[in-house]
Amino acid sequence: MKFASTRGEAPQVGFSQALLQGLAPDGGLYVPTQWPAVAAGIEAGESLPAVGQHLIGAFAAGDALEASLPDIVNEAFDFPAPLVALADVPAASMLGRAWDTVRLWFK
């Protein structure tokens, strides 16, 4: 998968190069040139590293870093984080969390 700069002045790069560089040389953010198809398959009660590998793996497909992804997500997501099905969260709670996130963007 290739990643392009939001400013369009930098060459496209692979997952690992976009991850290492952070910002593109032209100051833009790297975004995928196409959205990968993420197959359903996340089960309730699955560990956070397993979910991370499932989701991030779609963006790292074909990259040299793909083989190291299980070790990376196991180390990065090595903390307790209970996963809750959206159906179990009251709608008002979701709205409140979304509003807090929007407020933080503009601070």
Side-chain angles (χ1 to χ4, degrees):
M1 170 169 289
K2 292 292 185 183
F3 292 79
S5 170
T6 54
R7 294 193 178 168
E9 301 296 322
Q12 293 184 2
V13 298
F15 177 78
S16 54
Q17 190 172 0
L19 189 64
L20 288 172
Q21 285 185 334
L23 291 176
D26 63 359
L29 301 173
Y30 280 119
V31 294
T33 57
Q34 62 184 17
W35 286 102
V38 178
I42 299 172
E43 300 293 328
E46 203 163 2
S47 71
L48 190 56
V51 172
Q53 183 173 342
H54 183 78
L55 296 176
I56 298 169
F59 291 93
D63 191 83
L65 197 59
E66 184 178 18
S68 301
L69 196 57
D71 294 332
I72 293 168
V73 295
N74 281 329
E75 185 177 335
F77 296 118
D78 184 25
F79 55 88
L83 300 179
V84 178
L86 290 179
D88 297 339
V89 178
S93 174
M94 295 284 289
L95 182 60
R97 290 178 187 163
W99 177 249
D100 288 342
T101 302
V102 171
R103 279 193 346 218
L104 288 174
W105 287 345
F106 294 101
K107 284 191 174 190

